[in-house]
Amino acid sequence: SSGINAEWPLRPGFEDLCFDFGVELDDIVEEEGITKFKIDIPANRYDLLCVEGLSQGLNVFLGKTTLPRYTVLRARERLHVDGSVEGVRPYVVAAVLRDITLTEDSYNSFILLQDKLHQNIGRERSLVSIGTHDLDTIQGPFKYHALPPPEIKFQPLNQDTVMTAPQMFDIFRKNYLKPYLQIIESSPVYPLITDVNGTVLSLPPVINGNHSKISLSTRNIFIEVTAKDRKKAGIVLDTICGAFSEYCTTPHTIEAVEIVQADGSTFSSPKMGSRIEEYDSAELCLKSGIKTATPEQLADLLTKMCLRASVAGEKLKVEIGPTRHDILHQCDVEEDIAIAYGYNNIPQVLPDLYTIAVEQDVNKLSDSVREELARCGFTEVLTFSLCSRDDVSVNLRIPEAVGGAVQISNPKTFEFQVVRTTLLPGMLKTASCNRNMPLPLKLFEVSDIVVKDTLTETGTKNYRYVCALFAGKTSGFEVVHGLLDRVMLMLDVKDYHIQQTSDPMFFPGRGADIILGTKKIGHLGILHPEVLEKFDVTLPCSVLEFNLDPFV
Amino acid sequence: AVVSTQSGHYGRDENGPTIFRAVEETTDVVKDVLSNIQSKNPVPDKSVQDLKKRKLISSSVTKFYSVSKGEGFRTDIEKPEADLTADMLQDGTWKSKNFKDYNFTAKGAPVVGGCLHPLLKVRTEFRRIFLDMGFTEMPTNQFVENGFWNFDALFQPQQHPARDAHDTFFISDPQMTPKEAFPPGYLEKVIEVHEKGGYGSTGYNYDWKIEEAQKNILRTHTTAVSTRMLYKLGQQEKFVPTKLFSIDRVFRNETLDATHLAEFHQIEGLIADRNLSLGHLIGVLHAFFKKLGLEKLKFKPAYNPYTEPSMEIFSYHPGLKKWVEVGNSGIFRPEMLLPMGLPRDVNVIAWGLSLERPTMIKYGINNIRELIGPKVNLNMVQANPICRLDKN
């Protein structure tokens, strides 16, 4: 009934169809004798998240069927909203699918769509959650209100006994419902949907009541959607009704529910609304680059994309229905025209624009310095910008240095605690991992480090650093010193000198600051054996590190 | 009855203990043969073989040569030379020396010099391609970004999953950008288009929060820099069409595996000009990828929060014999560009890809940790050939 029969996706060309339509056939798997197609859907197409919606989209695209018109029948049920939900979960919308027949497949699809919407637009139920109920087991008018947890008593879905909210939450803390508890747990009142007899339909967003659970024999479904975001609640309800109303005896009819708000005003839900937009047909083609299409042809293309369109003089009237909540702007319509026309049918043309390229000075200079360092016999390494707090402080014998580093919150491992303030940790780790290389080891890197800086917009600043390391049977201090002299010569700089420093990172008496004019721009020296030990390096090392920015 | 011994020399009475002589004389055949050999008399071959077997004799070969003076006869000892030396040139002795044959089948002496990193050699090639095509480089030396320039200014809604802690690295110190840092008039326009729409858009209709925009993060894409550049472009008195590019590090807090690290390099190019279309984007992409040796391209509709239309770029890989995704592209949404002050008819086409992926495919590297980080084998770095992107 949904237009896709079992063999259809197996026909050749299905993968190409997916490609042209804009979904991705990710994988085909055999599970328990059933062939399952894993299809990736773009994140803004809620209407394609179930087999019913996807097959409708593809059938309309292929011209095999037309987009249905949805009818919303007058409300027979009412849902009253109490002010008590305002602080915890303020919005609710609802609908009824009357005279529906579900098979095992469509029932499973119904549950699956709710899961996907919960995960996706619902942001793991925190923004939107859905409850579906057998209308014949409950009696309206319904009430959406919030009560203190101990006053809530019902038999939750899949449990055997009636229990209070605190009792059931204790059980849920140990199972798959745990992540949803924190959405409302901090509130003094929990939201509840009840019927006229006090039967609990659901405790959103956590659990439904067992009493009103739907089954294959359910004939009338009451759908309630509660939310912290009013717009998203509407999108979710429209999506469910749009996809599953086809199984009602009169397909594509949805029965409204009248929502009575706390202040007494009412509105009818779901909206299932369409809006008509008018676009200039010539303008619509500009962005796609389609040169030859009449307004009639454009209207046909859009209709293929579930956007019913007709020509009105020089303009196109486009109906944007309740299954296309992804259409925010004319550019969304322009994309659909291009998709229907076929991206690979669009003629290619080069922009008629003459420009002269300009490089970033710091990058140009960095590349030149890198080449000079390689010419001096040093091998380039490329290491990670993120490292542990100790790597930039304690392990270099300068514990206070961690104060200047940019800290990552909640890193998964200690390798992601800070952004490096020096290139040394990566350099030393590389030396440690490459013990089998012939000696001496001569490495370099020219890359960015980041430090805190109160004068910038984000409070941080990147600096381009040059770092070189020598490791061998002897320390090679004179080698890195010679390298510094060579690099300064290549930078055409004479106004520098080095002066001894007592920086604890260096072996006593073997460390020096590099002074350009009167400012320190770097340092060099033999690393202290404790530093080598921390980085698991067994050879004496000399290092050179300085900031390249003053030379740019 | 008589029983003889093996040699026949003695007999024994079967019935009694008596042993008696059976022959008049005995002959020691072996002794006779041995004394013949010693006396250098001829001896039958079979006997020789027998005695050899019994290890009573052994043979040795003596070779004799007759020697006479040859042409190169000399009374001093000379070693053949391995190499021509400066001394030999000086004293002219090269003329009289013999030189050893050179072993042309062995390898030469290994040259150990410095070298550049394979990934950065590929980066140099991509930089050159952009510069050749007239693209100006953007300043990307800023790893820490805020939510505003990384997401909000791109019309990416605040509840979007990409802004989650499990996809983005948030900074705990310094945690926030002060709100005064956002250009005031522009900030209002961004809030408006998110919350209510405008510029022809319905907007997202949600409650926008300034705190989300202030949160500092490690940038998830260099598109944040492109956004800043486009804002500057929009603020100029007169619009000047421009072509921009960048190649730099970005950070994602995703699950790590053989092909994914927390940090990698993004390549991005964009063109801002009046009336640009998908046709122009497809044209530029063909020109760009042709320089990588990829001429067969296919485009697939895709979704990005900040581009519409969006296209994924596929190329036919002759080695793998299948279509492989090589990049992402699109035209920036008007909700992003119009609040910046860019003229209505200006479209910005853009595309991006990672630097690591084409490098790994080109060099057949399966684990990204063999390409970046401390575990990279330096022998691989030294043996990595000249990067020629257009030659497969």
Side-chain angles (χ1 to χ4, degrees):
Chain A
S1 62
S2 55
I4 267 196
N5 61 37
E7 299 90 57
W8 200 67
L10 289 165
R11 288 195 210 144
F14 182 65
E15 190 167 356
D16 290 338
L17 171 63
C18 288
F19 190 94
D20 292 336
F21 185 65
V23 298
E24 186 176 336
L25 179 60
D26 206 20
D27 204 3
I28 304 178
V29 293
E30 293 283 337
E31 255 172 53
E32 295 150 13
I34 304 172
T35 311
K36 294 195 177 170
F37 294 81
K38 298 199 173 188
I39 300 180
D40 265 352
I41 306 291
N44 64 340
R45 292 299 297 270
Y46 313 112
D47 61 308
L48 301 177
L49 279 178
C50 59
V51 119
E52 289 80 4
L54 179 61
S55 59
Q56 178 170 283
L58 289 171
N59 277 319
V60 173
F61 186 66
L62 291 170
K64 290 186 170 193
T65 179
T66 52
L67 183 67
R69 282 207 187 277
Y70 299 98
T71 312
V72 179
L73 301 171
R74 204 165 51 86
R76 281 156 63 178
E77 301 291 345
R78 215 181 307 135
L79 173 65
H80 293 259
V81 182
D82 185 77
S84 51
V85 296
E86 187 64 36
V88 58
R89 202 168 178 83
Y91 306 110
V92 65
V93 287
V96 169
L97 292 176
R98 196 65 78 176
D99 299 321
I100 195 169
T101 310
L102 292 175
T103 63
E104 195 177 333
D105 280 345
S106 53
Y107 175 85
N108 289 335
S109 182
F110 190 57
I111 305 297
L112 205 57
L113 175 62
Q114 291 173 58
D115 284 343
K116 295 212 168 86
L117 291 171
H118 276 160
Q119 233 177 47
N120 179 332
I121 186 176
R123 303 297 288 116
E124 299 294 338
R125 301 195 197 179
S126 62
L127 290 186
V128 184
S129 65
I130 307 154
T132 53
H133 312 277
D134 188 331
L135 186 54
D136 298 326
T137 64
I138 47 185
Q139 196 183 354
F142 303 97
K143 194 165 164 197
Y144 179 51
H145 53 142
L147 291 176
E151 290 177 35
I152 298 172
K153 263 201 202 68
F154 66 99
Q155 182 185 354
L157 190 64
N158 297 330
Q159 298 293 331
D160 302 319
T161 55
V162 171
M163 50 184 90
T164 63
Q167 283 171 331
M168 63 181 78
F169 273 39
D170 280 340
I171 296 174
F172 299 154
R173 233 175 290 280
K174 303 194 189 84
N175 71 17
Y176 73 98
L177 291 172
K178 181 173 172 198
Y180 308 122
L181 303 179
Q182 39 135 352
I183 300 170
I184 51 170
E185 229 175 353
S186 55
S187 165
V189 290
Y190 294 169
L192 211 61
I193 301 203
T194 50
D195 80 347
V196 77
N197 301 316
T199 311
V200 173
L201 276 67
S202 65
L203 202 173
V206 180
I207 190 81
N208 285 356
N210 200 59
H211 181 97
S212 55
K213 69 176 181 228
I214 65 168
S215 67
L216 282 183
S217 55
T218 302
R219 289 275 89 78
N220 301 294
I221 301 181
F222 181 77
I223 307 169
E224 35 93 355
V225 177
T226 59
K228 281 199 182 123
D229 182 314
R230 188 205 309 262
K231 169 104 188 202
K232 292 189 167 71
I235 293 174
V236 165
L237 188 59
D238 280 356
T239 303
I240 299 176
C241 294
F244 287 91
S245 56
E246 73 170 77
Y247 298 121
C248 296
T249 309
T250 316
H252 313 302
T253 54
I254 301 115
E255 185 182 292
V257 170
E258 192 184 33
I259 312 282
V260 183
Q261 300 190 104
D263 62 0
S265 62
T266 66
F267 67 90
S268 172
S269 149
K271 289 268 178 291
M272 295 303 290
S274 293
R275 65 181 203 270
I276 312 278
E277 299 281 2
E278 260 190 27
Y279 302 110
D280 181 271
S281 28
E283 207 182 281
L284 270 187
C285 287
L286 280 179
K287 215 169 248 185
S288 54
I290 298 170
K291 300 284 185 227
T292 54
T294 64
E296 287 75 24
Q297 285 168 327
L298 290 178
D300 282 341
L301 290 176
L302 281 175
T303 306
K304 268 173 66 167
M305 301 301 292
C306 294
L307 293 169
R308 226 185 311 263
S310 56
V311 181
E314 277 308 304
K315 299 221 180 268
L316 271 184
K317 271 204 166 89
V318 182
E319 185 185 326
I320 298 164
T323 58
R324 294 307 305 271
H325 280 286
D326 59 299
I327 306 288
L328 306 176
H329 186 282
Q330 182 173 323
C331 65
D332 298 293
V333 176
E334 284 160 348
E335 182 184 82
D336 275 12
I337 286 183
I339 295 174
Y341 188 81
Y343 278 179
N344 297 296
N345 296 329
I346 297 173
Q348 53 169 295
V349 52
L350 279 175
D352 182 15
L353 177 56
Y354 175 74
T355 51
I356 298 179
V358 176
E359 294 173 78
Q360 285 291 312
D361 284 339
V362 65
N363 291 339
K364 191 158 191 233
L365 183 63
S366 296
D367 278 354
S368 301
V369 168
R370 287 169 54 231
E371 286 181 24
E372 291 300 331
L373 291 169
R375 284 188 193 116
C376 294
F378 282 69
T379 297
E380 188 170 32
V381 302
L382 178 61
T383 60
F384 298 128
S385 313
L386 304 180
C387 60
S388 73
R389 273 195 274 271
D390 284 353
D391 278 340
V392 298
S393 57
V394 166
N395 292 351
L396 297 174
R397 300 184 87 236
I398 30 173
E400 66 282 3
V402 72
V406 172
Q407 314 263 348
I408 313 288
S409 65
N410 303 326
K412 282 190 182 127
T413 76
F414 54 75
E415 291 300 320
F416 301 149
Q417 283 175 327
V418 299
V419 187
R420 67 183 171 193
T421 54
T422 151
L423 298 177
L424 286 176
M427 201 64 95
L428 287 164
K429 286 174 192 172
T430 305
S432 177
C433 290
N434 276 276
R435 275 163 219 248
N436 296 325
M437 289 294 290
L439 297 179
L441 208 53
K442 287 151 66 175
L443 310 175
F444 80 91
E445 184 165 9
V446 178
S447 193
D448 280 2
I449 61 108
V450 182
V451 289
K452 279 160 55 173
D453 184 331
T454 50
L455 297 175
T456 67
E457 179 187 325
T458 57
T460 71
K461 197 166 150 103
N462 277 35
Y463 288 96
R464 185 65 50 89
Y465 268 30
V466 175
C467 184
L469 174 143
F470 178 105
K473 289 274 181 244
T474 56
S475 74
F477 187 16
E478 68 287 355
V479 175
V480 301
H481 185 183
L483 185 68
L484 170 68
D485 291 337
R486 174 78 190 165
V487 173
M488 290 296 125
L489 182 65
M490 292 297 100
L491 290 170
D492 201 16
V493 167
K494 297 188 177 65
D495 185 20
Y496 77 98
H497 66 276
I498 65 174
Q499 82 194 19
Q500 184 163 0
T501 175
S502 53
D503 190 326
M505 185 166 74
F506 296 119
F507 194 60
R510 290 291 185 276
D513 287 339
I514 304 167
I515 315 287
L516 178 71
T518 56
K519 282 187 67 178
K520 173 182 170 181
I521 57 148
H523 50 205
L524 75 163
I526 302 179
L527 286 176
H528 196 286
E530 282 172 21
V531 173
L532 297 177
E533 204 180 352
K534 281 278 167 45
F535 285 96
D536 200 21
V537 175
T538 52
L539 297 166
C541 285
S542 293
V543 295
L544 158 70
E545 188 171 31
F546 67 91
N547 178 16
L548 191 60
D549 294 303
F551 303 100
V552 172
Chain B
V2 171
V3 174
S4 300
T5 60
Q6 194 178 19
S7 64
H9 293 172
Y10 300 98
R12 182 168 70 83
D13 186 349
E14 204 179 34
N15 298 322
T18 318
I19 297 173
F20 50 86
R21 183 155 67 169
V23 295
E24 282 301 317
E25 283 188 11
T26 62
T27 330
D28 189 342
V29 176
V30 172
K31 184 173 153 202
D32 287 345
V33 173
L34 284 175
S35 69
N36 271 332
I37 289 175
Q38 198 165 34
S39 321
K40 300 191 190 347
N41 293 333
V43 155
D45 280 344
K46 185 165 185 311
S47 310
V48 170
Q49 278 168 38
D50 271 342
L51 293 174
K52 260 200 210 171
K53 257 194 230 170
R54 292 170 66 178
K55 297 203 176 32
L56 291 172
I57 60 167
S58 63
S59 68
S60 65
V61 178
T62 312
K63 285 193 187 165
F64 295 88
Y65 294 91
S66 165
V67 182
S68 56
K69 275 190 216 178
E71 228 183 78
F73 179 78
R74 50 198 295 162
T75 53
D76 51 4
I77 300 170
E78 191 210 7
K79 222 176 61 168
E81 294 294 335
D83 198 4
L84 180 66
T85 67
D87 288 341
M88 286 180 210
L89 291 178
Q90 276 279 319
D91 55 24
T93 49
W94 64 268
K95 294 181 198 144
S96 56
K97 284 190 188 284
N98 280 327
F99 291 87
K100 258 204 293 212
D101 283 344
Y102 187 83
N103 183 1
F104 287 100
T105 60
K107 278 205 181 305
V111 173
V112 179
C115 55
L116 297 174
H117 189 279
L119 187 73
L120 299 182
K121 281 150 73 175
V122 178
R123 182 180 73 179
T124 301
E125 284 309 291
F126 274 104
R127 257 180 110 243
R128 186 178 310 223
I129 290 172
F130 277 113
L131 295 169
D132 285 355
M133 291 170 74
F135 284 71
T136 285
E137 193 171 26
M138 293 187 261
T140 52
N141 44 344
Q142 186 183 318
F143 290 166
V144 177
E145 214 14 295
N146 46 53
F148 184 75
W149 289 106
N150 198 86
F151 296 119
D152 296 288
L154 284 78
F155 196 57
Q156 187 157 348
Q158 289 187 336
Q159 292 132 343
H160 196 273
R163 295 176 82 149
D164 262 357
H166 61 250
D167 273 350
T168 301
F169 284 109
F170 284 89
I171 309 284
S172 58
D173 180 23
Q175 195 180 35
M176 308 284 251
T177 293
K179 36 186 124 133
E180 297 71 43
F182 305 138
Y186 177 56
L187 172 63
E188 264 75 67
K189 293 197 175 109
V190 170
I191 299 175
E192 177 90 9
V193 77
H194 275 248
E195 287 192 327
K196 301 196 177 59
Y199 307 102
S201 176
T202 61
Y204 292 120
N205 309 115
Y206 72 105
D207 290 327
W208 192 87
K209 294 195 172 67
I210 185 80
E211 295 77 26
E212 288 301 310
Q214 289 177 273
K215 283 184 182 165
N216 283 338
I217 61 171
L218 285 178
R219 67 178 176 212
T220 60
H221 47 197
T222 47
T223 321
V225 180
S226 305
T227 306
R228 285 177 184 271
M229 300 300 288
L230 288 170
Y231 172 73
K232 284 206 183 81
L233 189 65
Q235 294 298 295
Q236 282 171 10
E237 270 290 319
K238 183 174 175 312
F239 171 73
V240 177
T242 184
K243 284 143 81 171
L244 301 171
F245 84 94
S246 64
I247 307 174
D248 209 337
R249 234 173 259 235
V250 295
F251 305 83
R252 301 271 171 96
N253 194 10
E254 287 168 345
T255 329
L256 307 183
D257 59 31
T259 53
H260 292 93
L261 285 172
E263 44 186 297
F264 60 99
H265 294 76
Q266 184 185 336
I267 300 168
E268 177 150 320
L270 67 91
I271 306 180
D273 199 358
R274 298 182 196 272
N275 300 317
L276 287 178
S277 71
L278 276 185
H280 294 105
L281 179 54
I282 292 172
V284 169
L285 290 173
H286 271 112
F288 178 81
F289 282 97
K290 184 169 177 190
K291 285 179 176 281
L292 304 177
L294 301 174
E295 300 204 35
K296 274 171 89 170
L297 296 182
K298 222 166 52 159
F299 302 94
K300 174 175 169 288
Y303 169 69
N304 285 325
Y306 40 88
T307 56
E308 187 89 6
S310 313
M311 307 194 301
E312 270 166 21
I313 312 159
F314 285 78
S315 166
Y316 189 73
H317 194 285
L320 299 172
K321 289 205 173 30
K322 61 177 185 170
W323 290 88
V324 173
E325 188 183 334
V326 293
N328 216 310
S329 66
I331 305 184
F332 283 124
R333 292 189 71 106
E335 294 99 327
M336 172 183 165
L337 302 177
L338 295 176
M340 292 173 172
L342 288 162
R344 263 205 89 210
D345 60 346
V346 168
N347 287 332
V348 182
I349 59 177
W351 72 100
L353 60 156
S354 89
L355 183 62
E356 282 74 4
R357 197 151 176 273
T359 306
M360 286 170 71
I361 293 176
K362 186 172 177 68
Y363 295 123
I365 298 173
N366 293 320
N367 190 324
I368 197 170
R369 282 160 198 76
E370 291 167 34
L371 184 59
I372 315 183
K375 297 203 168 86
V376 170
N377 184 337
L378 294 174
N379 283 315
M380 182 282 284
V381 173
Q382 290 190 345
N384 182 258
I386 293 174
C387 177
R388 302 183 71 187
L389 285 178
D390 54 341
K391 304 282 179 223
N392 285 314

